[in-house]
Amino acid sequence: MREVVICGYLRTAISRSRPSEPGRDVFHKLRADDLLTQLLPELIQRVGIEPKEIDDFIVGSAVGVSEQWTFGGRDPLFLANLPETIPAKFIDQQCGSSMAAVHVGFLEIATGQADIVLAAGMEHMTRVPMTLIAGTSGVITKNKKLFEDEAYKHWDTPTSTNMGLTAEKLFSLTDFTREDLDRWGVRSHQLAARGLEEGFFQGEVLPIRAEQEDGTVMIVDKDQSIRAKANYEDMAKLKPFFKEDGVITAGNASPLNAGASSMILMAKETAEKKGLKPLATIRSIGFAGVDPTIMGVGPIPATRKALAKAGLKASDIDFWEVNEAFTIVSLHFIKEMGIDPAKVNVMGGSTAIGHPLGATGIRLLGTLARILDWRGGRYGCANACVGGGQGVATIIERG
């Protein structure tokens, strides 16, 4: 097995999606593939490779329909005017889609099937909203048997297909309080705001020119959901969103977002021959299935598998990126894994930065690689829960 390194990472800023008021999304006039294909040539140029050297392109999205249908991954290549000789794949592992793209690229390179892989993710939750998925009545429909047939009742499909209800159920199985969830949400915003102020995110965000509803052009270079003035008192006033007597609110869950992310993976020996300095080395990957009605537990078995493959313990990890689809996911992970909260999401999490589903996995991994360099850590682990009851994880080492 060859060593695989991350040689480049670039993303767009993450906008705030509002499907019912599209004009309020700064990216509402740009498709997800428009966002993505601005990244690809820029990342290739920054890393310093020739497009024809890329052996595979792998792109992920959680809702790969409508504008996000990619013709097997090929359309983004065409839009970016990359060589027709580059093969492509589209991957759907819901919130883990772009991390899954990295996993496939990692395996291709580690086994000698490729030397250089371009991985990417995208999601536009204003233009391709989650309302497309509405049980058995939406544009994308699940088999009615999963809802109506007694043989499948144990899957509790109404709960397992509503991520907010899965978070409510996970919360009910813990001893955390609504205050715990809200305070972690406030922490996320405060840390992300500090990261913006310190200029940390400038190193990973490509500014995008975006026409606004009034015809003006805005240079979008900052994540739009971060609230520097977030405070517990205001957070505590928010009403539950999924259940009248629930605890999951707009303040302790990730918002709806649009954005794209990209990453170049390379065999370490290839990077050395080219004189490139990698961001990080991928040490192991992990993926696992769990009860879909508590999908938020998914990162735990996925991470344990990745740790075992790397021959590491949780205590060996210097920094963690645990996707905050809901703050209860991060809090539960921290408790079950017995880790220091101060090492988790140190530049804020998806509650503040945003969670454009299919783009998030690479965002987590790329931000983590930069944190290791920024803070001088050795090992990092990025992970995410996945709709449908899954978890994904990746362990990296600086340099």
Side-chain angles (χ1 to χ4, degrees), residues 153-166:
K153 189 175 182 179
H154 60 287
W155 293 122
D156 188 6
T157 304
T159 298
S160 64
T161 53
N162 184 316
M163 298 304 99
L165 293 182
T166 69

Side-chain angles (χ1 to χ4, degrees), residues 3 279-283 372 377-380 395-399:
E3 288 192 297
L279 288 171
T281 301
I282 298 177
R283 288 303 176 203
L372 290 176
R378 181 178 181 183
Y379 291 114
I395 293 175
I396 59 175
E397 183 176 5
R398 179 163 59 98

Side-chain angles (χ1 to χ4, degrees), residues 318-388:
D318 297 298
F319 293 103
W320 302 81
E321 281 294 307
V322 182
N323 189 39
E324 290 172 3
F326 304 93
T327 59
I328 184 60
V329 174
S330 297
L331 291 171
H332 180 66
F333 180 85
I334 290 167
K335 181 177 180 180
E336 291 298 307
M337 297 295 293
I339 61 178
D340 182 357
K343 295 181 177 182
V344 179
N345 300 352
V346 297
M347 289 296 176
S350 293
T351 301
I353 297 169
H355 179 24
L357 306 181
T360 292
I362 284 178
R363 204 285 297 170
L364 295 168
L365 193 54
T367 297
L368 176 63
R370 298 188 63 250
I371 287 170
L372 290 176
D373 184 58
W374 187 275
R375 297 285 183 87
R378 181 178 181 183
Y379 291 114
C381 178
N383 61 44
C385 55
V386 174

Side-chain angles (χ1 to χ4, degrees), residues 31-332:
R31 292 164 49 117
D33 50 13
D34 290 328
L35 295 172
L36 176 61
T37 52
Q38 292 188 54
L39 294 178
L40 303 182
E42 179 68 22
L43 179 60
I44 291 167
Q45 181 180 8
R46 290 189 185 190
V47 171
I49 61 173
E50 294 295 328
K52 64 183 180 182
E53 296 180 280
I54 297 170
D55 296 305
D56 204 3
F57 171 65
I58 310 168
V59 58
S61 174
V63 187
V65 299
S66 184
E67 294 179 357
Q68 290 171 182
W69 184 73
T70 65
F71 200 24
R74 290 285 277 179
D75 279 354
L77 287 177
F78 300 151
L79 287 166
N81 279 319
L82 294 175
E84 64 186 31
T85 53
I86 303 173
K89 300 177 181 66
F90 175 82
I91 287 187
D92 166 15
Q93 198 178 15
Q94 294 298 283
C95 303
S97 296
S98 58
M99 191 175 289
V102 170
H103 286 183
V104 173
F106 164 76
L107 292 171
E108 288 181 346
I109 295 170
T111 57
Q113 303 303 309
D115 283 321
I116 302 174
V117 171
L118 177 59
M122 63 179 182
E123 208 77 48
H124 204 313
M125 300 178 78
T126 291
R127 298 178 67 99
V128 187
M130 291 296 288
T131 49
L132 286 176
I133 306 170
T136 58
S137 60
V139 175
I140 305 170
T141 61
K142 295 180 73 68
N143 194 309
K144 289 185 179 182
K145 292 178 182 177
L146 289 171
F147 291 87
E148 300 172 359
D149 196 317
E150 197 68 22
Y152 303 106
K153 189 175 182 179
H154 60 287
W155 293 122
D156 188 6
T157 304
T159 298
S160 64
T161 53
N162 184 316
M163 298 304 99
L165 293 182
T166 69
E168 289 283 4
K169 182 175 177 180
L170 175 58
F171 173 83
S172 73
L173 300 175
T174 72
D175 57 4
F176 290 108
T177 66
R178 158 77 187 268
E179 180 176 346
D180 294 329
L181 274 58
D182 289 347
R183 290 198 180 279
W184 189 266
V186 171
R187 172 190 185 269
S188 187
H189 282 281
Q190 291 176 342
L191 290 175
R194 186 184 306 167
L196 274 180
E197 186 178 342
E198 294 175 350
F200 173 80
F201 292 111
Q202 289 180 7
E204 62 188 59
V205 172
L206 178 69
I208 300 290
R209 289 175 55 85
E211 184 180 351
Q212 302 303 293
E213 192 168 32
D214 61 3
T216 61
V217 174
M218 176 179 178
I219 304 300
V220 184
D221 59 0
K222 294 181 178 63
D223 300 318
Q224 300 292 300
S225 296
I226 299 171
R227 300 290 176 261
K229 296 181 180 179
N231 61 79
Y232 173 71
E233 289 71 28
D234 288 343
M235 197 81 79
K237 294 175 184 176
L238 296 174
K239 294 181 179 180
F241 191 81
F242 298 96
K243 288 175 62 179
E244 189 173 341
D245 60 346
V247 295
I248 305 300
T249 72
N252 57 44
S254 59
L256 303 179
N257 304 99
S261 59
S262 58
M263 182 169 280
I264 288 179
L265 308 177
M266 198 175 297
K268 185 175 183 179
E269 60 200 51
T270 303
E272 289 174 346
K273 287 178 183 177
K274 292 179 172 295
L276 300 177
K277 184 179 183 298
L279 288 171
T281 301
I282 298 177
R283 288 303 176 203
S284 68
I285 63 175
F287 38 91
V290 297
D291 178 350
T293 66
I294 47 171
M295 64 98 196
V297 306
I300 296 170
T303 297
R304 286 176 174 158
K305 287 182 177 181
L307 287 168
K309 294 290 184 183
L312 299 172
K313 303 184 294 295
S315 58
D316 294 320
I317 304 299
D318 297 298
F319 293 103
W320 302 81
E321 281 294 307
V322 182
N323 189 39
E324 290 172 3
F326 304 93
T327 59
I328 184 60
V329 174
S330 297
L331 291 171
H332 180 66

